[in-house]
Amino acid sequence: MNRYIELVEKWLEDNNSVSLEELRANRDAAYAAYAAAYAAYAAADATADAAAYAADATADAADAADAADAAYAAYAAAYAAEYYVNRYKELTKGDV
């Protein structure tokens, strides 16, 4: 399982189990891992499709970072985090 997702799941189960600093560090580490993975992908496939994907991925990453910031104090962000955890599980079913 993805360690970044695991921390968010832990926080969703018990908001007091994870500190604000841990959530921020998790957000930053997850974004850095995403950026590194995307950079490798973009270097491997420098096509028009990759450029379109880059624009979408950049917008998605910005949205995810905004949602993570709001999660520290808002129920709406907790709902978004839960959605992405469930979406991750759907997308990785059977991937072992």
Side-chain angles (χ1 to χ4, degrees), residues 28-67:
D28 295 344
Y31 184 75
Y34 161 80
Y38 183 76
Y41 165 78
D45 186 13
T47 65
D49 290 342
Y53 181 77
D56 292 342
T58 301
D60 290 346
D63 291 345
D66 290 344

Side-chain angles (χ1 to χ4, degrees), residues 6 11-12 14 16 22 24 26 28-29 32 34 39 41 43 46-47 51 55 58 62 72 76 81 87 96:
E6 287 177 356
W11 178 77
L12 287 170
D14 177 10
N16 296 321
E22 287 175 297
R24 286 183 177 148
N26 188 61
D28 295 344
Y34 161 80
Y41 165 78
T47 65
T58 301
Y72 304 135
R87 184 70 177 135
V96 178

Side-chain angles (χ1 to χ4, degrees), residues 45-92:
D45 186 13
T47 65
D49 290 342
Y53 181 77
D56 292 342
T58 301
D60 290 346
D63 291 345
D66 290 344
D69 286 339
Y72 304 135
Y75 169 80
Y79 178 81
E82 186 174 9
Y83 168 80
Y84 285 110
V85 167
N86 291 334
R87 184 70 177 135
Y88 170 81
K89 287 180 179 178
E90 288 174 19
L91 293 172
T92 58

Side-chain angles (χ1 to χ4, degrees), residues 7-26:
L7 186 77
V8 172
E9 281 185 317
K10 180 179 175 184
W11 178 77
L12 287 170
E13 289 174 14
D14 177 10
N15 293 359
N16 296 321
S17 68
V18 178
S19 72
L20 181 61
E21 292 78 20
E22 287 175 297
L23 287 172
R24 286 183 177 148
N26 188 61

